[in-house]
Structures are given as structure tokens and as C-alpha cells.
Amino acid sequence: MPASPCRHGSSPICNLYFCPRTGISWRVNSRAFDLLIERLRCVAAELPDRRTGDNTQFDMADIALSAFAVFFSQCPSFLSYQQAMERTRGRNNARSLFQIKRIPTDNHIRHTLDPIAPHHLLGLFDDLHLAFDQAGLLEAMRAVQHTRLIALDATWYFSSQSRNVCCPNCSCIEHAEGKTTHFHSAITPVIVSPGHSQVVPLRPEFITPQDGQVKQDCEIAAAKRWLAAHAARYGTGNDTLLGDDLYAHQPFCRQVLLHGFHFLFTCKPSSHTTLQQWVEGLEPGRQLHTLKQRVKGRGNRWEHHLYRWANGVPLTDRDDALPVNWCELTVTDSEGAVRYRNSFITDWNITAENVAGWVAAGRARWKIENESNNVLKNRGYHLEHNFGHGKQHLSSLLATMNLLAFGLHTLLESTDGDYRLIRAALGARRRFFQHLEALTSYLHFESWE
């Protein structure tokens, strides 16, 4: 789906978006950073504003961009550094890089943004998606059978055991010792591929208390809501959802098919006993097929890969059981020790020619944990940190900005040659942002380039 128009009016021109006031067409080039900041400013200028009187001295765009700048720079003190630079030099990087005309205080940012629901910013994920597409990355990431892999998983982005830090949107866990954990979580879908380290973030779906108290109930309810809302937006006619064993159940699989998607879910034998018993009862060679391969794994060591698969296996023991196609990979080392074993179910037909590709696609699901959620929590984004909880929507709105910053970093790493060169030279992601923090604290830059 095309990106949402900016406030100055826009029209699609050859799949581009043109802003009459700025003259900017959204096309990936060396100005990807500036283009997204301009889009963010246009969107932020239209955010709901409940302030009155003297309280409106700061533009909504400045307030939102100030918050985003902190997440992009991964520097909690970024705004204070820029205020100090403004006092001493009469200029600052918040203005030149992020188009922030006046920098508000942290408290004013939190108080003003708290009433704003995150859906006002979700269109920016469409801008990123369009930019990745125009850069050719989405096509390059297609996997076996030329399918696009979209991984689903839920993650926490706030938690507290304080009674004073909670809101009506918090979910709760009651502990046996009497304590209560208040938390927020969301489905954070990403496009993944076995051959790519990058993941492309899509619109998140926030889990609410109304979704239930049991992890399976609330995560699946949110995933169904995401499907209903975004299947048309992200569907290309050849898309496969990835998920852990939580998703490998008949009602959700049927929902996936209903919305025109394929599925490839982890399927544990312990939670799918009927399916596993059925598989083990199949006749080897006729209904249960095998393929053996000898490949080089990590450390350039030889491994033995044993694939097993069967098509048309009932998912449950019910009369209306959904027939699924099952595959399994067992990896052993040269001594015969099992190093990896996992099984999957899918609606795709499995053959000797594609079974390795489908297993590789299924194993790519871990990228939503290692390359997305783990990075967001432990590699500088501090997703679970309480940047400001508020009383209404602040926590989820700031989490949305954090996800957008992650998306923009990924876009720059994919399309900006200078950004990619510097990231490669510095190595660790955190070292890059430490340099960025130091440079923007003491030096003024006229532009991102």
C-alpha cells in the first residue's frame, strides 16, 4: 500500500509521493535520512494537540521530532547537548539534522505526547516499507518458491512492579508472593530472509488487556487483529508467515489462509501429539520421505543433515482437522551427536527439491528475536527501558518511535554507502553510536550527509 500523504497534499506519481511545498518525492537515494525526517515532521505537525494558551509555545512537530532524535541518536542527553551548543554557538544539530526549530523540555515532551495514540505514526512504517522496496531489498529477500517471509512474535517494551507506574493499557501478571507486574507488549512483525542479516520492520500491533491474561490467548488475538488490519497492505500474493509453536494451531492457521497468506510455523512434538503419532505411523519411503545431506557448518566443520517430510497430515484429531505438510531437520556432527532438531508445518507442498529451502525459511524465524527484538532490547535501543510511561499512550508512542528509529537505521545501512562504510569500519553497533554521540555533542553539522 502507498504511504500516507503529507499535510501539504500529495499525489502518487510513478509510485512516488510528492510534497508540493517542499518539492520532495520519496525515492531512496543519499537523502533517505532527510526525506524521512521531512515526512515525520509533516505527520507530527498534524498530531492531535490538546494544549491551550501559553502552553502552545512549542510546535507539535518540534516536540515529536525531539523525542525521535533521542531514539535515533541513542543518546538520552542528546537534547541537552544541543541546547548547550545553541547557547554557546547559536546553532545546534537538533535544528540542522532533525529540523527541530525549538527544543522543549523532557517533561513537556512527555506531557504533550501522552494523550496521542501510536496509530498516528504508523503510516511512517509504510514510508520505510516503500523505501526498502524501491531500494530492491524486499525483492532480494525473497526465499524458497520466491515467497516473502514475515515473522511474527510478541515482545515486552515496558514493565514495572510499582503501583504508581501503570495505566489502563497495562497488562498485569499476579505473582504468588502477592506482587503485580504491570507491562506493555506488542507484536513486532519483520520481513526476514535466510540470506540477509537485515530485517525490515512492519507496522506493530499493540497487545491490550482485553486480549486476555494467558500469553497464548493475548498474543494470538493481537496477531489475528494484525492480519485483519494489514493483510491487504503487505500482501503480495506470495507471502508466508513465520511463527513459533504458539501459532501452529488450527484456528490461527485457518485465519492465515483466509487472508491470502501462507504459513510456516514451528511445530513441537510435545504440543502436537496427534500429528506426531500420525507422522511416525506413516510408511517410510512412500508417505514419509527422507533426504540426507553432508554440509559444512560453523567453524567449517562437516555436519550431517537429515530431512524428513510428509504431506497431508492432519493437524488435530478432530473430524474437521486441517491437513498440513510437515517437515523436520536433524543435524548431527561427525561423531553422531545431535546438534539441532526442529520440525515445522506449512500449507506449501514439500518435495525433495524444496525441503531444505523450507527448513531454512523456518529457521529464519529466529531473526525476529536475534536481529530485531534482542537488538531493540540489548543493542542500544533499550526497548524495555521506561523512557516515560504516562497515564495514557506515552509508553506505546515512544516505543513506536524507537521502532521507527530502528527501521531508519536499517534503511541507511542498506542504502547509504557512507553510513554502511562507517558502520563496517567501526564494527560494533554500539561503538558507532558512541562516536555519533561524541561528534554531535561537540561539533555542528550542516546536514546528515
Side-chain angles (χ1 to χ4, degrees):
M1 293 287 286
S4 54
C6 78
R7 67 190 178 96
H8 308 292
S10 64
S11 58
I13 303 176
C14 301
N15 251 352
L16 304 181
Y17 272 77
F18 178 75
C19 177
R21 183 183 67 80
T22 62
I24 290 177
S25 296
W26 180 264
R27 180 182 291 280
V28 177
N29 54 26
S30 60
R31 294 190 60 235
F33 174 86
D34 298 324
L35 292 175
L36 190 74
I37 295 303
E38 174 64 24
R39 283 286 299 129
L40 179 55
R41 185 165 188 89
C42 289
V43 172
E46 296 298 312
L47 292 175
D49 188 359
R50 301 181 182 181
R51 300 170 300 162
T52 58
D54 295 338
N55 204 30
T56 59
Q57 56 181 305
F58 294 98
D59 292 341
M60 288 298 295
D62 284 345
I63 293 170
L65 283 164
S66 294
F68 178 79
V70 171
F71 293 116
F72 181 88
S73 65
Q74 296 193 352
C75 174
S77 302
F78 176 79
L79 297 178
S80 61
Y81 286 145
Q82 302 316 307
Q83 288 171 324
M85 184 182 292
E86 180 68 26
R87 288 193 296 269
T88 58
R89 304 187 188 182
R91 54 185 181 174
N92 68 78
N93 291 305
R95 182 184 304 121
S96 59
L97 301 183
F98 295 95
Q99 303 183 23
I100 301 169
K101 299 174 182 177
R102 298 180 61 203
I103 302 174
T105 65
D106 291 350
N107 285 337
H108 189 67
I109 293 173
R110 294 188 181 98
H111 179 76
T112 306
L113 295 181
D114 188 25
I116 301 174
H119 69 80
H120 292 285
L121 298 182
L122 296 186
L124 292 164
F125 287 94
D126 302 340
D127 292 314
L128 285 171
H129 185 262
L130 178 63
F132 279 112
D133 192 22
Q134 292 179 341
L137 183 63
L138 299 189
E139 187 64 22
M141 290 179 72
R142 288 191 178 271
V144 58
Q145 302 292 116
H146 203 61
T147 190
R148 178 174 296 174
L149 303 175
I150 301 176
L152 302 178
D153 194 22
T155 187
W156 287 20
Y157 60 90
F158 166 82
S159 66
S160 171
Q161 290 189 345
S162 171
R163 295 181 178 179
N164 298 321
V165 186
C166 62
C167 71
N169 295 317
C170 278
S171 299
C172 299
I173 296 177
E174 302 289 345
H175 301 283
E177 65 272 20
K179 293 183 178 180
T180 301
T181 296
H182 304 277
F183 69 96
H184 289 276
S185 60
I187 303 283
T188 53
V190 292
I191 297 174
V192 301
S193 175
H196 289 78
S197 59
Q198 296 100 338
V199 298
V200 176
L202 305 178
R203 289 188 180 209
E205 184 66 42
F206 295 95
I207 297 174
T208 65
Q210 292 74 28
D211 288 323
Q213 297 300 317
V214 180
K215 182 183 189 297
Q216 176 171 320
D217 292 340
C218 60
E219 184 170 339
I220 291 299
K224 288 179 179 178
R225 195 165 57 246
W226 183 89
L227 260 178
H230 306 306
R233 174 174 283 105
Y234 296 126
T236 65
N238 189 5
D239 309 275
T240 303
L241 293 188
L242 307 180
D244 59 21
D245 186 75
L246 187 68
Y247 295 87
H249 292 277
Q250 183 156 305
F252 188 72
C253 290
R254 289 195 183 279
Q255 284 292 312
V256 173
L257 298 175
L258 180 66
H259 285 94
F261 281 73
H262 299 279
F263 62 82
L264 178 61
F265 299 142
T266 299
C267 180
K268 295 180 180 179
S270 58
S271 56
H272 294 81
T273 55
T274 297
L275 184 148
Q276 193 65 29
Q277 290 170 0
W278 188 282
V279 166
E280 299 304 335
L282 295 176
E283 181 181 354
R286 291 179 59 86
Q287 299 165 310
L288 182 60
H289 309 280
T290 60
L291 174 69
K292 295 180 180 180
Q293 292 181 342
R294 185 169 178 259
V295 300
K296 282 191 176 181
R298 292 184 178 180
N300 213 29
R301 297 176 181 176
W302 287 104
E303 297 176 341
H304 298 276
H305 290 199
L306 173 62
Y307 296 93
R308 298 198 302 161
W309 72 94
N311 292 308
V313 181
L315 183 55
T316 70
D317 59 358
R318 295 167 45 179
D319 292 338
D320 65 343
L322 177 70
V324 298
N325 306 321
W326 171 91
C327 60
E328 176 190 72
L329 170 64
T330 302
V331 178
T332 55
D333 61 20
S334 55
E335 284 75 37
V338 176
R339 297 301 183 186
Y340 174 87
R341 177 180 285 139
N342 208 350
S343 52
F344 308 89
I345 59 168
T346 181
D347 64 307
W348 286 96
N349 188 62
I350 303 174
T351 67
E353 289 71 32
N354 65 30
V355 63
W358 286 122
V359 169
R363 296 180 73 178
R365 187 203 65 81
W366 66 267
K367 291 178 181 288
I368 192 174
E369 298 177 0
N370 284 14
E371 305 298 333
S372 180
N373 292 340
N374 183 55
V375 169
L376 289 166
K377 293 178 181 179
N378 303 312
R379 303 288 181 84
Y381 297 90
H382 306 290
L383 184 66
E384 292 180 305
H385 179 75
N386 179 18
F387 294 101
H389 183 262
K391 298 296 183 182
Q392 299 179 62
H393 304 291
L394 182 62
S395 185
S396 56
L397 185 72
L398 295 182
T400 302
M401 291 186 178
N402 213 345
L403 292 170
L404 286 169
F406 170 67
L408 181 52
H409 291 154
T410 306
L411 178 64
L412 293 173
E413 191 173 334
S414 303
T415 63
D416 189 319
D418 292 335
Y419 185 97
R420 186 166 54 248
L421 179 65
I422 296 169
R423 279 279 286 113
L426 292 175
R429 181 194 303 264
R430 188 61 198 137
R431 187 175 297 118
F432 170 82
F433 285 103
Q434 288 171 344
H435 282 247
L436 185 65
E437 176 181 345
L439 288 168
T440 56
S441 298
Y442 299 105
L443 300 175
H444 177 258
F445 297 91
E446 292 294 340
S447 70
W448 172 253
E449 184 179 2

